[in-house]
Amino acid sequence: MSSVFKFCLILILSLGASHSFAETTEEKGLRIAKEAEARNNGFIGDESDLEMILIDAYGSKIIRKMQGKVLEVENDGDKSLNIFLNPKDVKGTKMLTWSHKKDDDNQWLYLPSLKRVKKISSRNKSSSFMGSEFSYEDIGSQEIEKYKFNFIKDGKSADGEDVHIIERVPVANSGYSKQVVQISKKHLNAVHVSYYDRKNELLKTADMSDFKKYTVAGKELWRASNIHMKNVQTKKESIFKWNNRKLGVKFKENLFTKRALKR
């Protein structure tokens, strides 16, 4: 009887311990988000040629070409600079973003026709970026400190890839009530995002594709070469394409300043 009693006691204690250490859906969602962030850190600098394709509700297209640069910043959000090269009506326009982990991002737009720098106010972050279906908020990096997370389930993407499906709800000023994100189990990058407006209605979806592997300081990093944003309410679409992408680029920090925008 003594042996039976001990076995039962151990079983009860082990069950109690496993229950006490079980993750909540909020804890699991946050853990997955942190793992994805850690997997994608360490790129140092990112340089590429970009295409932004605007597609209206009737299928007509406008193609804009840019040069993009991103500087990784330790203990804060990244800094990015997009410079429009053509067509002529947007040539020379520059977009500078300083992302932050907790505070509102700082964003400035240089308009060559006016030869001045315009600051994007926080209340305009949900506005369209240069006529696209990407908002100024989308252009900033998605720091995990700005969201509350909730694990929904494991599942499959539209392409059959194994994914974690999590919900992230902004805790600060945002044009969205929530986002539902599918994160690849293979490379811990988002492969699909559903964006909900302030009325909690589906506004748009983003599909990330054509992932490429890069190696920086011995670490493997994966990046999407294509993001296709579809506005389900207006039927408009926009596509970002990355070409000639390089990671591990070492930029001078003074390149990412308001003063540098006017050069």
Side-chain angles (χ1 to χ4, degrees):
M1 290 295 293
S2 175
S3 297
V4 173
F5 174 78
K6 287 179 180 179
F7 174 77
C8 291
L9 180 61
I10 292 170
L11 180 62
I12 291 168
L13 289 173
S14 64
L15 288 173
S18 63
H19 177 73
S20 64
F21 285 105
E23 285 182 303
T24 65
T25 56
E26 291 84 0
E27 290 169 339
K28 186 170 183 178
L30 178 59
R31 174 175 60 79
I32 292 169
K34 286 183 175 179
E35 288 174 355
E37 180 183 63
R39 177 75 69 88
N40 287 286
N41 284 344
F43 66 89
I44 302 174
D46 181 332
E47 184 173 37
S48 60
D49 297 325
L50 290 164
E51 283 186 355
M52 185 168 73
I53 304 169
L54 312 182
I55 308 170
D56 67 19
Y58 304 100
S60 298
K61 296 181 180 180
I62 296 174
I63 299 176
R64 292 173 173 170
K65 295 192 176 183
M66 298 177 285
Q67 185 179 62
K69 303 176 189 292
V70 184
L71 174 69
E72 186 173 34
V73 178
E74 189 174 355
N75 299 319
D76 202 0
D78 304 328
K79 295 181 178 181
S80 65
L81 176 65
N82 291 318
I83 304 170
F84 284 83
L85 304 177
N86 63 61
K88 189 176 180 179
D89 61 334
V90 295
K91 184 177 180 180
T93 302
K94 300 177 185 178
M95 177 73 187
L96 173 65
T97 298
W98 292 358
S99 298
H100 301 294
K101 287 186 174 295
K102 295 181 180 180
D103 298 331
D104 283 342
D105 295 344
N106 297 117
Q107 293 181 302
W108 299 272
L109 194 65
Y110 173 69
L111 303 170
S113 59
L114 300 177
K115 295 184 179 180
R116 74 180 186 91
V117 176
K118 174 186 176 183
K119 183 174 175 60
I120 307 301
S121 68
S122 58
R123 62 179 177 270
N124 290 330
K125 295 296 173 69
S126 60
S127 299
S128 165
F129 170 61
M130 297 295 289
S132 74
E133 297 313 301
F134 293 88
S135 68
Y136 286 101
E137 182 177 350
D138 299 331
I139 300 302
S141 58
Q142 313 301 305
E143 304 297 331
I144 63 174
E145 289 82 1
K146 293 181 177 179
Y147 300 92
K148 289 183 179 178
F149 293 89
N150 185 46
F151 173 77
I152 298 175
K153 65 178 181 179
D154 288 326
K156 297 276 189 182
S157 69
D159 294 331
E161 187 170 357
D162 290 326
V163 295
H164 299 296
I165 303 175
I166 64 173
E167 177 186 77
R168 58 186 187 191
V169 178
V171 296
N173 178 51
S174 174
Y176 308 115
S177 60
K178 67 178 181 182
Q179 300 170 25
V180 177
V181 187
Q182 297 181 11
I183 298 177
S184 165
K185 291 184 180 181
K186 177 184 177 182
H187 48 66
L188 289 178
N189 275 275
V191 295
H192 179 87
V193 184
S194 297
Y195 299 85
Y196 291 79
D197 63 20
R198 292 191 180 104
K199 296 179 181 178
N200 209 31
E201 296 177 350
L202 181 62
L203 173 63
K204 59 189 184 182
T205 62
D207 287 294
M208 295 73 171
S209 61
D210 192 16
F211 281 85
K212 290 182 170 60
K213 183 175 72 174
Y214 303 84
T215 302
V216 179
K219 182 178 181 179
E220 290 185 356
L221 299 165
W222 291 83
R223 294 291 187 269
S225 298
N226 191 308
I227 299 179
H228 192 163
M229 186 76 79
K230 299 178 182 178
N231 190 314
V232 301
Q233 297 182 8
T234 66
K235 307 304 179 185
K236 295 180 180 180
E237 304 175 27
S238 295
I239 300 172
F240 259 124
K241 289 187 176 182
W242 281 259
N243 299 303
N244 304 317
R245 192 172 205 166
K246 298 177 183 177
L247 270 62
V249 181
K250 296 181 179 179
F251 295 114
K252 292 183 178 179
E253 195 161 354
N254 62 11
L255 180 67
F256 301 85
T257 63
K258 286 171 59 180
R259 179 177 293 181
L261 286 177
K262 294 183 178 181
R263 293 174 187 165

